[in-house]
């Protein structure tokens, strides 16, 4: 009986180690990427490799080469996304579903963020403009609305990060303040969609006329 058990263990190990059992495939809604499976559809899918079906295993060495069906399945299995895989911020609950937006959708959300910051900065900075603001208008040679718009454009990187989160996280609407604070927390304004745009980048350059009027240094 002891030798019979040993023979069964050896036979089981040989079967598991064979190529037919070692090969894995990706489930429906997933595509292979390097040595793992990733989501390829518009909705996030948990992609865990599974054992390949009999018809999708690699042909044996004695075959003349891949058939048309194998070539077709290989083309369909290529990952649709070639960009960096999105990773949700740790502040967002792990059960939040992920979606797979297009680049155009993320770009549109980025532009919308910049436009929102511009309008907010123009309303707050120009309607209640103080002496320091008027001095900056004079130094840069820009009107107050144009100066605020130039400052808001320097927030493009933060807006791109914010747009990526809102475009990928299906539950972003349930955590609007959290998602905003992730990208703008250190310079966030009083409202959830505002920020200190003057802190997004360096000080705007002075106009040529302003520099010419400066007294020469000794």
């Amino acid at each position: 009986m002891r030798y019979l058990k040993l023979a069964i263990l050896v036979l089981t190990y040989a079967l598991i180690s064979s190529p037919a059992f070692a090969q894995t495939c990706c489930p429906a809604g997933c595509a292979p990427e390097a040595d793992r499976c990733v989501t390829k559809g518009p909705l996030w899918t948990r992609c865990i490799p599974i054992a390949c079906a009999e018809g999708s295993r690699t042909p044996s060495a004695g075959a003349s080469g891949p058939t048309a069906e194998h070539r077709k399945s290989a083309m369909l299995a290529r990952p649709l996304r070639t960009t960096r895989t999105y990773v949700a911020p740790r502040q967002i609950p792990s059960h939040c579903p992920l979606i797979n937006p297009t680049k155009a959708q993320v770009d549109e959300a980025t532009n919308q963020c910049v436009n929102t910051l511009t309008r907010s900065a123009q309303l707050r900075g120009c309607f209640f403009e103080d002496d320091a603001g008027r001095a900056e208008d004079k130094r840069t040679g820009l009107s107050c609305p144009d100066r605020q718009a130039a400052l808001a454009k320097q927030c493009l990187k933060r807006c791109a990060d914010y747009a990526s989160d809102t475009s990928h996280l299906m539950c972003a609407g349930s955590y609007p303040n959290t998602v905003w604070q992730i990208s703008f927390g250190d310079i966030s304004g009083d409202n959830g969609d505002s920020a200190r745009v003057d802190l997004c980048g360096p000080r705007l350059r002075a106009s040529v006329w302003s520099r010419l009027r400066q007294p020469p240094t000794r």
Side-chain angles (χ1 to χ4, degrees), residues 1-18 21:
M1 180 63 68
R2 184 175 58 184
Y3 292 108
L4 179 59
K5 290 182 179 180
L6 180 61
I8 293 175
L9 289 175
V10 172
L11 179 60
T12 302
Y13 177 79
L15 289 174
I16 295 176
S17 301
S18 65
F21 282 84

Side-chain angles (χ1 to χ4, degrees), residues 7 20 25 32 51 57 86 94 110 124 137 149 153 167 174 179 214 217:
C25 293
R57 292 175 183 160
Y86 174 79
S94 58
T110 302
R124 183 181 61 181
D137 296 340
K153 288 182 179 179
S167 299
S174 301
V179 177
Q214 290 180 355
T217 56

Side-chain angles (χ1 to χ4, degrees), residues 21-28 30-32 36-37 47-58 77:
F21 282 84
Q23 189 176 5
T24 58
C25 293
C26 296
C30 303
R36 59 176 182 162
C37 296
C47 297
I48 301 177
I50 59 176
C52 293
E54 184 68 28
S56 60
R57 292 175 183 160
T58 305

Side-chain angles (χ1 to χ4, degrees), residues 39 41-45 81-89 92-107 109-110 159-173 175 179:
T39 300
L43 296 178
W44 180 83
T45 304
R81 289 186 62 193
T82 57
T83 57
R84 179 175 58 87
T85 303
Y86 174 79
V87 178
I92 302 298
S94 58
H95 58 75
C96 178
L98 299 181
I99 54 180
N100 193 13
T102 64
K103 182 179 182 300
Q105 290 173 324
V106 177
D107 290 345
T110 302
C159 275
D161 293 339
Y162 173 73
S164 180
D165 289 336
T166 57
S167 299
H168 283 90
L169 298 171
M170 185 176 292
C171 66
Y175 307 95
V179 177

Side-chain angles (χ1 to χ4, degrees), residues 7 9 29 48 55 60 75 93 134 136 164 176:
L9 289 175
I48 301 177
S60 61
M75 292 176 62
R134 284 186 284 271
E136 277 296 286
S164 180

Side-chain angles (χ1 to χ4, degrees), residues 49-131:
I50 59 176
C52 293
E54 184 68 28
S56 60
R57 292 175 183 160
T58 305
S60 61
S64 59
T67 62
E69 285 299 322
H70 283 100
R71 287 194 297 267
K72 180 179 179 181
S73 62
M75 292 176 62
L76 294 176
R78 291 174 184 169
L80 298 180
R81 289 186 62 193
T82 57
T83 57
R84 179 175 58 87
T85 303
Y86 174 79
V87 178
R90 64 179 183 275
Q91 296 91 329
I92 302 298
S94 58
H95 58 75
C96 178
L98 299 181
I99 54 180
N100 193 13
T102 64
K103 182 179 182 300
Q105 290 173 324
V106 177
D107 290 345
E108 181 180 359
T110 302
N111 293 334
Q112 183 177 354
C113 171
V114 174
N115 293 335
T116 299
L117 286 179
T118 300
R119 290 192 297 268
S120 176
Q122 288 173 339
L123 177 62
R124 183 181 61 181
C126 298
F127 190 78
F128 301 101
E129 189 174 26
D130 54 14
D131 291 341

